[in-house]
Amino acid sequence: MKQDYVEEGTIKDRILNYVVIAAAAVIYAIAVSQFLDPNSLAPGGVTGIAIILNRITGLETGTWTFAINIPILLIGMWKFGVKFIFSTLYFTVINSFAINILSTFGAVTEDPLLAALAGGSMIAVSLGMVFKAGATSGGTDIVIKLLRLRFPYMKTGALFLITDAAIVAASAFVFENIDTAMYAGLVVFVNSMLLDVVLYGRDEAKMVFIISDFCDSISERLLKELDAGVTHINGSGAYSGKEKKVILCVMKKQLYHRAEEIVRQEDPVAFMIITSATEIYGEGYKSIFSQKL
């Protein structure tokens, strides 16, 4: 009975993943067909190449998107397997056809700034949904995934920013309009910044070191009033040679001002070092065992 339950749950998870991928493909298509393509914004990747080739050849952007993805998908099949590529092909087919269909409705806005902000945001949300579902949107996403295997410490958004820069630069020459290319660059920037938020969350926190003669009372209040994790580090003054406890505490940014007030009340002359922690793993934050996207 337990095995049947696990298999049923797995099937439900797969169905849900494909629903999410389909929704992401449509969101991506709306971004391209309603905001970026009508305003000649080529935001890097296969989409940017497809928009550029559309202007050169007249062939529909969605069709070019599908055609360019075929050789890349074959490479991905060799590296990641048929199962992985099937979900990516599923996204690519829906996305390509949706772009061609939705492009017949015309642009939502002809303001390039609004188009860049809206298009970049929608693409970031779409890519985040796809990556969390265990697939990619094809094209340079597969290249990015290969790079992530080689350089796991680099964030996905940063890699997209690097790989898309060349295509944005090329669009300036093709469209002979530097303003259009700069707006396309804005799409890439918005996409890369928001994508990291979608994938990794805004878990930025404050890391505080506190050196005080009243470490015990400060620690007790931090634990009780803020429910923040506190670690004691044994230290000694280089000049005085006196043994001291050092408090190490990581907390959400919104809690820092309350922590600062606690330290001020307990020891006005305490020595504090405050810095930002951009990635935190452990209880209350991200799991260290989860796979980074």
Side-chain angles (χ1 to χ4, degrees):
M1 181 65 70
K2 184 176 180 180
Q3 183 178 358
D4 293 339
Y5 173 77
V6 172
E7 291 178 352
E8 182 181 358
T10 302
I11 293 174
K12 287 183 178 179
D13 289 341
R14 290 179 180 175
I15 293 174
L16 179 60
N17 281 342
Y18 280 108
V19 170
V20 170
I21 293 171
V26 174
I27 292 173
Y28 197 109
I30 293 172
V32 174
S33 62
Q34 305 295 298
F35 294 97
L36 304 182
D37 195 6
N39 289 281
S40 298
L41 302 181
V46 167
T47 299
I49 297 173
I51 291 174
I52 292 173
L53 291 176
N54 166 259
R55 299 303 191 275
I56 296 175
T57 66
L59 190 64
E60 292 176 308
T61 300
T63 303
W64 270 118
T65 299
F66 184 78
I68 297 171
N69 268 303
I70 296 302
I72 298 176
L73 288 173
L74 291 176
I75 296 174
M77 184 183 300
W78 166 70
K79 186 65 179 179
F80 299 111
V82 177
K83 182 179 178 181
F84 171 81
I85 291 303
F86 180 78
S87 59
T88 302
L89 179 62
Y90 174 71
F91 175 94
T92 302
V93 170
I94 295 176
N95 178 52
S96 300
F97 279 98
I99 289 174
N100 286 344
I101 294 172
L102 293 172
S103 63
T104 60
F105 293 97
V108 171
T109 178
E110 295 182 357
D111 186 320
L113 177 58
L114 294 178
L117 294 175
S121 299
M122 294 178 71
I123 287 178
V125 172
S126 172
L127 292 178
M129 293 169 64
V130 170
F131 289 165
K132 286 187 175 183
T136 76
S137 62
T140 52
D141 294 359
I142 294 177
V143 177
I144 296 300
K145 204 167 184 69
L146 290 169
L147 289 174
R148 285 280 294 146
L149 293 176
R150 180 66 179 82
F151 306 104
Y153 52 86
M154 295 190 70
K155 287 190 173 182
T156 302
L159 288 171
F160 270 110
L161 186 61
I162 295 171
T163 56
D164 289 343
I167 298 172
V168 171
S171 72
F173 292 97
V174 174
F175 297 130
E176 298 181 348
N177 190 328
I178 188 65
D179 290 344
T180 299
M182 291 177 69
Y183 281 120
L186 179 60
V187 176
V188 175
F189 177 78
V190 171
N191 177 28
S192 64
M193 294 299 102
L194 186 56
L195 180 57
D196 283 336
V197 174
V198 174
L199 288 178
Y200 308 118
R202 296 197 62 85
D203 62 348
E204 185 176 348
K206 291 291 185 181
M207 182 168 64
V208 182
F209 291 92
I210 305 168
I211 303 174
S212 170
D213 292 328
F214 302 93
C215 277
D216 290 337
S217 59
I218 293 173
S219 298
E220 183 179 354
R221 291 189 61 183
L222 291 175
L223 288 167
K224 184 176 180 180
E225 298 179 25
L226 304 186
D227 194 26
V230 175
T231 300
H232 285 165
I233 303 173
N234 293 324
S236 61
Y239 178 77
S240 65
K242 183 180 178 181
E243 297 292 330
K244 284 191 174 182
K245 289 180 181 178
V246 179
I247 298 174
L248 168 61
C249 184
V250 177
M251 65 194 71
K252 298 290 187 180
K253 289 193 297 183
Q254 58 267 30
L255 296 178
Y256 167 69
H257 293 292
R258 291 172 60 189
E260 187 180 51
E261 182 64 19
I262 289 174
V263 175
R264 187 188 67 81
Q265 292 174 0
E266 295 294 328
D267 185 5
V269 296
F271 188 79
M272 295 181 64
I273 303 173
I274 303 100
T275 185
S276 294
T278 55
E279 286 197 73
I280 310 100
Y281 294 90
E283 185 176 354
Y285 297 92
K286 295 183 296 189
S287 171
I288 195 171
F289 299 107
S290 62
Q291 181 180 4
K292 295 189 71 174
L293 297 167

